[in-house]
Amino acid sequence: MKEKEIRAEGNVEYRFTHPDDFREHVRDRKGRNPASKLCSAGEAVETFVRDGDYIVYDFSSLTRGPQALVREVIRQRRKDLWIGAEFTLHESSLLVGAGCASRIDVGFLGYGNYIGRAVCAGRVRVYEWTNGGLALRILAGARGVPFLPSRDLLGSDNMKVSAARTIEDPYTGGPVCVVPALNPDVAFLHVHQADETGNARIFGTNLFALEAALASFRVVVSAEEIIETDEFRKDPMRTTIPFFLVDAVVHAPFGAYPGAMPARYEIDLDHVDRLNSLDTDERMRAYLEENVYSVSDHEEFLDRRVGAKRMRDLRRRATIVEGYR
Amino acid sequence: MKEKEIRAEGNVEYRFTHPDDFREHVRDRKGRNPASKLCSAGEAVETFVRDGDYIVYDFSSLTRGPQALVREVIRQRRKDLWIGAEFTLHESSLLVGAGCASRIDVGFLGYGNYIGRAVCAGRVRVYEWTNGGLALRILAGARGVPFLPSRDLLGSDNMKVSAARTIEDPYTGGPVCVVPALNPDVAFLHVHQADETGNARIFGTNLFALEAALASFRVVVSAEEIIETDEFRKDPMRTTIPFFLVDAVVHAPFGAYPGAMPARYEIDLDHVDRLNSLDTDERMRAYLEENVYSVSDHEEFLDRRVGAKRMRDLRRRATIVEGYR
Amino acid sequence: MPRKVEFTDTEFMIVQGARLIEDGKTLFVGWGIPQVVAMLAQRLYVPNVTQLFEFGAVGPRPVLPFVRGTMGGPQNTYRSLQWLNMNWAFSFSAAGYMDYGMLGAAQVDPYGNINSTCLGGTFEKPERRFAGSGGGNQVASHCWKTIIIMKHEGRRFVPKLDFLTSPGYLDGPGAREKAGLPRGTGPYRVVTSKGLFGFDGESRRMTLLSVLRGIPVREVLDGMAFRPLLADPVGEADPPTEEELRVLREEIDPGRFIIRGERML
Amino acid sequence: MPRKVEFTDTEFMIVQGARLIEDGKTLFVGWGIPQVVAMLAQRLYVPNVTQLFEFGAVGPRPVLPFVRGTMGGPQNTYRSLQWLNMNWAFSFSAAGYMDYGMLGAAQVDPYGNINSTCLGGTFEKPERRFAGSGGGNQVASHCWKTIIIMKHEGRRFVPKLDFLTSPGYLDGPGAREKAGLPRGTGPYRVVTSKGLFGFDGESRRMTLLSVLRGIPVREVLDGMAFRPLLADPVGEADPPTEEELRVLREEIDPGRFIIRGERML
């Protein structure tokens, strides 16, 4: 079984898994028993993230991103990661700057100068799938089909630097774009609430949370709150992800910091401005040393680098709660 | 523009709309202005349902089905309708028995003997897409693509009596099934709550409510309650359908009767048993005369054929409300 | 030594089905008898099974007693973990998350192919018309192990189906994969009111595994229009226990909508 | 007679964009300046426009003042009619429900093709790298009328793009349809800090429609590396009104994160 096939078309590499291979992984390795999957961020990354893995996440660096998990990946010095970068703002910079990531499927590759310069210097390879194309690839992976069609990408240069193809639609005879299914090795999802078995709730919009959970070999959920399973059964419309798609549950309050968690805490703009200003390797190293390597885990980071007072203030500034429940 | 193209492959007719033709209908005929679309069931059917139309609905005859709208279609004696019958239990019997429908895409064609006999007698043509195939066709219509692929139907006789086809997957080289997009003329959706402009909420599961609303030329929503638009803005996660997909809003309390409306009223099993017992044209005619033709509208039907006491009892029996809000 | 108890053929069929499911697995539940099987199994044997209904109820805990004729209603979708829709439900099965699927059938052939569409005549004008696939085709195509549950009646076991609604092993070994169906899937058991069948690992042909204790193998075979393979030896299935019957009759179906049938033993 | 007011090139650009949108229509809003344009338009001119963000916010009413750097946060998705996800958002546009799309660009060519990916060098090692398409390709592919909004700088108007990120009319009349893009779609206007462009109905080439009152046409053309067609006559665009500026400066962007720029007039 070739779980992690990397294919190439011309200069373009792309990750592809035959649906049958993914299905067999699901059959043999995903647990449908509602056991506790609670562990620390360190344990989750140790167990479920390997060198060379393809990683996706939801939502963005600024809103509900899995920042605690990304910092843990850097702390554990994973190598040669491939990022499916839908809204990658600072994660890409940090993961490339820390030497963890070598390939990025774009997406939206913002912002700050660091990542742009890394691309220009050839320190990271990029492929252009566009946001819609990546979301569609993950939907294909989630639906167990090898591809899905769309009517975009056509006519653009993205088709030359991705493995999207044009085929003849069997019903109209016209050209349609197809993209190959994507089954990431790892999906990181930071959520508002989860239970120990992995049932999870996101409040607000998402990119492709359920799609990514279905499509990924390993799913790590980090959650602001751990709640009882019974709460999910009382309100099934609020469930975003059912437990049997999930491999690990990490209780990570302030797990999206320095981004915002809607209705829980606001973005720390001072910290984000510092991230935006990381334009040299020297500054990058200093940032990583201070915020990642010099602290042993997320909790120590919160205690020593953020602090209760700032967390209190950020919580207080999250004044919009309507709809997030 | 061929809005309503009926294609044939061998003996198999199927409904197909080029995505460009559907898009132009949306551009020119769907209103994005949040004006009131409130009207009576009679007006909605008069304006939006035509002879020869292809109709889909959600959910089933027994749960949250658009029964008031179906009865109005019969009352207005539409002809030659084509039904996309995902969970058609009594609707098919009634629509065929009343001479309104001549073709059914199946789906699940239950139950009672009437509809089975009508098929055997050749009084209605049926095509077999399966539930998954029909849901996928509507998803394709909603996504603006001419087809979608899947890994079912393959090897079955459904492929001989539908226009599903096998193509070679461009990424694995293996066979996959494709089904053509379906853009129904009309979608009937009975919902818990709607505002006058068409924003709508369904509580509980659905078949393809949002897909059908996106994919259909004309969308008629009937609602147990009419609420203020502001309520939708306070809780955007609860919205099932946004207003600009909707053409008409009908305030129809007990609109799913004799089926159940989850958390509002229970199924009327006595009435359903009568529906199940309609096995001859004579009984069918008597049922239709009593429950459709002899009453001028849904409200008169409720007053004279159901009655406040029965409605009160059915409401009282809807004791499960958890999660439906 | 157990007392002899009276039960119906339907009760035995349901009980056999319920004994097949593993705990901590997922079960795609078809309309009708499979609903009752799932209830009995979860109540007695597999508390941590996760049921899935095709219209998007994930992990429901149906209210007992069973409410007839309303699979999608609040009673049957009670206390679900998640409420979604049909395209999501079939994504779960297509992506490999569903261990078991359970379906009824009007006809079944030696390769476990299912007809639930029509009998006799032509497809356009059959002699009898049934509900059709519903989501049965998807369940039989996608789930790892499909369980077919049906009364043991001669006209149901046929060498050739009048219509192939949901795929078994099609025309033999490798045929599913060749057709493009997911690898490693297929019919697992056929549960009837008289016995239990599996499928031979090589020939993929239906194989009689066991019969209800006290019923001669010959009687089971006489009720079939083709001859299945026979396990060596053909086992004996225990009749329903008193506890199984009590739960079925008192908790699940006191109205006897489902469990009525021919009396046995 | 209106008094002369001072404003920035960015303010003029935003105001021009806001004046283009029709009320009672849908608008697919890109990241950054388009967000502010949509806010101003909805506040002053088109109360019943329905905004759509690519991550699934349908009909949001963003909180004023504008909060920078967090399009997906509670402020910008406030009071949406519906919260969905990305695959649904692009279904709305693909199925034809989005009247207008509004996007920024690093480069644009005479056919309204957009580059927002990279400049110079090769794709693998460019001289400058931008964010890439994001959802821009989908917006430009699907929406009925795409509006491009960008500063009027010479290096941005080029005869040939370094990378074609989001499709305009590709290489001319009929090319979009031939490529398989939805019929009848394409770039509608290019809004800059000095003027407004459309596209010729036959040749599909960019056409200067109007310039900011007081700016010579020549100055606008000098800022471009290709020569657009000229409307006959080229019109004059009104500078921002006091009310437009007041709303922009006091209600929408008091922190001047977006509206700062070169001073004009």
Side-chain angles (χ1 to χ4, degrees), chain A residues 8-318:
Chain A
E9 294 195 2
N11 285 328
V12 178
E13 291 176 309
Y14 67 107
R15 175 57 195 268
F16 187 76
T17 305
H18 192 294
D20 281 343
D21 294 331
F22 180 72
R23 285 176 52 94
E24 288 185 358
H25 173 91
V26 167
R27 182 189 60 192
D28 300 336
R29 308 289 293 277
K30 288 263 186 183
R32 260 82 79 196
N33 201 40
S36 174
K37 296 156 187 166
L38 207 56
C39 62
S40 69
E43 290 165 336
V45 170
E46 178 71 33
T47 310
F48 295 110
V49 184
R50 301 165 195 163
D51 289 351
D53 272 357
Y54 192 112
I55 300 187
V56 295
Y57 39 79
D58 182 314
F59 183 80
S60 81
S61 318
L62 302 175
T63 308
R64 201 178 47 71
Q67 309 305 340
L69 296 175
V70 169
R71 283 188 291 266
E72 186 60 32
V73 166
I74 294 170
R75 191 174 290 118
Q76 294 194 22
R77 298 178 191 272
R78 288 291 176 279
K79 299 287 176 215
D80 201 28
L81 301 177
W82 192 335
I83 311 173
E86 194 84 10
F87 280 149
T88 190
L89 305 175
H90 312 107
E91 295 92 344
S92 300
S93 296
L94 297 178
L95 287 165
V96 169
C100 299
S102 56
R103 281 178 280 216
I104 307 179
D105 284 339
V106 186
F108 183 88
L109 189 64
Y111 42 75
N113 292 317
Y114 188 89
I115 189 66
R117 287 179 189 169
V119 173
C120 294
R123 289 173 49 203
V124 58
R125 278 170 286 172
V126 289
Y127 307 103
E128 303 296 312
W129 292 92
T130 79
N131 276 358
L134 275 178
L136 193 62
R137 289 189 67 192
I138 295 173
L139 182 61
R143 292 190 56 79
V145 289
F147 73 94
L148 280 173
S150 69
R151 298 186 72 205
D152 43 39
L153 296 178
L154 297 158
S156 79
D157 285 342
N158 303 295
M159 299 207 65
K160 301 174 188 164
V161 291
S162 71
R165 296 185 194 174
T166 306
I167 69 166
E168 183 184 284
D169 161 46
Y171 294 97
T172 66
V176 292
C177 171
V178 294
V179 293
L182 176 58
N183 293 102
D185 292 303
V186 181
F188 283 161
L189 302 169
H190 187 64
V191 305
H192 287 81
Q193 299 176 326
D195 70 11
E196 293 189 354
T197 70
N199 293 298
R201 284 177 180 162
I202 290 170
F203 303 142
T205 65
N206 68 86
L207 294 180
F208 39 51
L210 179 52
E211 290 96 316
L214 270 160
S216 297
F217 283 85
R218 302 181 290 277
V219 177
V220 178
V221 163
S222 62
E224 291 289 327
E225 296 171 40
I226 304 295
I227 63 174
E228 296 295 317
T229 301
D230 209 39
E231 295 302 311
F232 289 89
R233 295 194 182 277
K234 286 178 185 167
D235 200 358
M237 290 185 67
R238 286 291 196 229
T239 306
T240 311
I241 297 160
F243 76 92
F244 52 92
L245 313 184
V246 174
D247 293 278
V249 178
V250 176
H251 186 200
F254 269 85
Y257 179 91
M261 192 71 187
R264 296 293 192 270
Y265 46 87
E266 255 306 331
I267 193 170
D268 184 343
L269 278 174
D270 293 340
H271 194 111
V272 166
D273 282 341
R274 174 144 182 228
L275 282 166
N276 291 340
S277 73
L278 300 178
D279 53 357
T280 64
D281 281 321
E282 196 182 341
R283 287 185 175 190
M284 176 61 75
R285 272 193 298 272
Y287 176 88
L288 291 172
E289 182 57 34
E290 179 182 332
N291 292 286
V292 183
Y293 300 129
S294 70
V295 288
S296 62
D297 58 19
H298 180 58
E299 287 70 30
E300 190 181 341
F301 169 72
L302 293 180
D303 286 341
R304 293 182 46 200
R305 302 289 178 257
V306 186
K309 180 171 177 301
R310 176 162 298 217
M311 288 192 278
R312 183 201 63 192
D313 291 346
L314 294 172
R315 282 195 193 280
R316 187 182 300 154
R317 282 166 45 203

Side-chain angles (χ1 to χ4, degrees), chain B residues 116-117 119-121, chain C residues 118-123 125-129 162:
Chain B
R117 287 180 190 170
V119 174
C120 294
Chain C
C118 56
L119 292 182
T122 62
F123 168 76
K125 283 195 182 186
E127 286 168 16
R128 278 197 69 186
R129 170 73 209 196
D162 292 17

Side-chain angles (χ1 to χ4, degrees), chain B residues 6-23:
Chain B
I6 296 176
R7 293 183 169 200
E9 292 194 4
N11 284 329
V12 178
E13 292 175 307
Y14 67 106
R15 174 58 193 267
F16 186 75
T17 304
H18 192 293
D20 281 342
D21 294 332
F22 180 71
R23 285 177 52 94

